[in-house]
Amino acid sequence: MLPGVGVFGTGSTARVLVPLLRGEGFEVHALWGRSEEEASSLAQELGIPFHTSQSDDVLLHPDVDLVCIYISPPLTRQIAVKALGIGKNVVCEKAATAVDAFKMVTAAQYYPQLLSIVGNALRFLPAFVAMRQMLAEGYVGELQVCDARVYGPSLLDQSYGWTCEELMGGGGLHTVGSTLVDLLSHLTGARAMRVHGLLRTFVGQNGAIHGIRRVTSDDFSFFQMLMGGSGSGRGAGTGTGSGVCCTVTLNFNMPGAFVHEVMVVGSAGRLIARGTELYGQRNGGNGEELLLGDSGGTGQEVKDVPLPHLRGLGSMVTALKYAFQAQEERRSWARGPVAMASTFEDGLYVQTVVEAVKRSSRSGEWESVEVMTQEPDPNQNLCEVLQINKN
């Protein structure tokens, strides 16, 4: 039995998510927006019967058993933790900080019978599902290097908001880089031990954001990860004792076609996912071969939602359907169909890597990745800021 769904958010992802959910048989009963006007407009456009700007109205809705949270990062933790506390299954975007992610992990551990996943849809993209399987089967031999690059237009909103602020989770590193950190760990079965990064903000102001307002979020980032050890236990297990070297380049000052490429290179060959297609070449081969084309299952590219994320989101919603449909109760779910999904623990690891990259950009040094095991002193962040200003 499929659960009723409540959606938090009125942005581009929420806008495409609702039709995808309905296409798989889910009923969307409620929509939350930052304002009544935003919620009312999108609810009317998509035919959602109930809308509100009060989060509790969605969480307590009697027909809502699955909550999908696609809102600004600073609000994610609060709503996700509350949803789990009242017995709702949760699919959500990343948190704003490692501390927020840790609180989400704690809530998920209190309610292990509830679904709690981070909606990194790239894990479900067929090209990456196939890449992970071929890595496990030894297509590239001993894995040595991973290289990811994403180029595209600005991520900033048309007006000043959270996308402009680093501390609120804005910027290419947090928005896109985090999904690549998660994906690379998923593909390799390894986690980052040390990182080195460089962040830049080339566009501090524009025609819509000016005056006393300045953009602090990054629009260019480059970082390296030395990965080793086991991942979340679901990885391909291809990491070597000496570690896998990963490089990620993100540039959101690029007009023209969106570029999304992830390449893995090993002792016997390479695999590369370009957009939604997978290519491969073995050492000594006669050239690159197309291993998996674009299925074209979820329509054409939507504005502000890159095609790899759109295709992956469609596959993730299909997996959610399979997880719920064989259950007799609306809130019950089967783990198998969503076993590849990013857990809240994975989300905490990813956020830890992101914050280590930010530290490295400030220090110019390699930084260790140490996932927190207990909530830090609430004054710690203030102390770190004071220390940075002192230096």
Side-chain angles (χ1 to χ4, degrees), residues 195 351-361 367-369:
V195 299
Q351 189 59 39
T352 302
V353 174
V354 167
E355 293 184 7
V357 171
K358 291 181 179 181
R359 290 199 308 273
S360 174
S361 183
E367 297 284 345
S368 296
V369 177

Side-chain angles (χ1 to χ4, degrees), residues 129-269:
V129 174
M131 178 184 280
R132 186 170 183 257
Q133 180 63 32
M134 297 183 77
L135 281 172
E137 294 171 353
Y139 183 94
V140 305
E142 182 180 359
L143 183 59
Q144 299 165 338
V145 174
C146 301
D147 181 73
R149 60 191 187 104
V150 178
Y151 304 151
S154 175
L155 298 174
L156 299 177
D157 289 334
Q158 294 302 310
S159 59
Y160 186 84
W162 71 269
T163 59
C164 304
E165 285 286 348
E166 176 200 353
L167 295 178
M168 295 182 70
L173 174 62
H174 190 278
T175 304
V176 178
S178 60
T179 64
L180 294 173
V181 171
D182 179 73
L183 177 66
L184 292 172
S185 292
H186 178 64
L187 292 173
T188 64
R191 286 191 167 185
M193 299 181 296
R194 293 186 296 140
V195 299
H196 189 278
L198 174 69
L199 306 181
R200 287 290 183 267
T201 303
F202 287 108
V203 179
Q205 294 185 323
N206 58 29
I209 303 165
H210 50 78
I212 63 171
R213 299 290 195 184
R214 290 196 66 85
V215 176
T216 61
S217 56
D218 62 280
D219 50 30
F220 172 85
S221 62
F222 170 80
F223 61 96
Q224 302 164 288
M225 299 186 292
L226 181 61
M227 305 181 74
S230 61
S232 60
R234 299 192 303 273
T238 56
T240 65
S242 59
V244 178
C245 302
C246 298
T247 62
V248 178
T249 306
L250 309 170
N251 190 343
F252 296 102
N253 297 292
M254 300 279 287
F258 180 79
V259 175
H260 191 288
E261 294 186 358
V262 176
M263 179 170 63
V264 293
V265 182
S267 59

Side-chain angles (χ1 to χ4, degrees), residues 123-124 186 234 334-343:
R123 286 195 180 204
F124 291 86
H186 178 64
R234 299 192 303 273
R335 192 171 302 275
V338 290
M340 73 174 71
S342 178
T343 65

